[in-house]
């Protein structure tokens, strides 16, 4: 019994000691977690494209919508069929795309980031990155902290003919 009590006291003390640190990083962790969920969603769209052997496009529509379209190819033109839409708030309340001046403010000086308006994946021809002539690009996602007003952000980057996904 004494051992359990001692363990409980030590655990409670540690939690009180680390709480400010946990609270400080909570927004960043939430933004990264939501970005990971979006990466998984986009990966499922790519998997569907492979299984159905036809191209799919995910559009990043401001302020906070992901649209999935069935397309004839990843180039420009052709009839696009709307498959589904998801709000970023489904991944985390308050999540939105960071663009323009806000994007410049959160990136480190000298960081190159090509903001993408879409990512298309054709299982035969590859991703729209190759067609658009972009080596890599991505989207930046932000979450405003209700308590401090601080913007917590994360990047979802795509690269190569397979549109490999990386979270930063």
């Amino acid at each position: 019994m004494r051992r359990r009590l001692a363990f409980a006291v030590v655990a409670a003390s540690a939690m009180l000691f680390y709480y400010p640190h946990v609270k400080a990083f909570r927004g960043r962790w939430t933004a990264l977690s939501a970005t990971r969920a979006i990466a998984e969603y986009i990966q499922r769209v790519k998997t569907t494209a492979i299984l159905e052997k036809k191209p799919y496009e995910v559009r990043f529509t401001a302020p906070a919508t992901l649209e999935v379209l069935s397309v004839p190819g990843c180039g420009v033109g052709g009839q696009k069929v709307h498959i589904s839409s998801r709000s970023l708030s489904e991944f985390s309340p308050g999540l939105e795309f960071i663009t323009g001046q806000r994007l410049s403010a959160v990136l480190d000086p000298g960081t190159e980031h090509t903001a993408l308006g879409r990512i298309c994946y054709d299982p035969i021809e590859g991703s729209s990155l190759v067609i658009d002539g972009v080596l890599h690009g991505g989207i930046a996602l932000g979450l405003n902290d209700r308590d401090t007003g601080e913007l917590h952000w994360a990047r979802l980057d795509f690269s190569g003919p397979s549109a490999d996904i990386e979270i930063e």
Side-chain angles (χ1 to χ4, degrees), residues 77-159:
Q79 183 175 350
K80 299 178 182 202
V81 178
H82 184 271
I83 302 298
S84 67
S85 292
R86 287 195 64 185
S87 171
L88 293 183
S89 64
E90 293 177 41
F91 297 98
S92 182
L95 190 67
E96 61 184 43
F97 294 114
I98 302 175
T99 57
Q101 294 291 340
R102 291 177 66 204
L103 180 60
S104 301
V106 298
L107 293 178
D108 294 328
T111 302
E112 289 188 33
H113 180 77
T114 302
L116 299 177
R118 72 182 183 117
I119 188 73
C120 179
Y121 183 73
D122 184 332
I124 296 170
E125 296 180 15
S127 74
S128 57
L129 296 174
V130 174
I131 294 166
D132 295 344
V134 178
L135 294 176
H136 64 276
I139 56 173
L141 301 157
L143 185 63
N144 283 313
D145 190 316
R146 286 179 258 143
D147 299 332
T148 64
E150 184 180 356
L151 177 68
H152 300 283
W153 64 277
R155 269 187 12 207
L156 185 59
D157 290 329
F158 303 95
S159 62

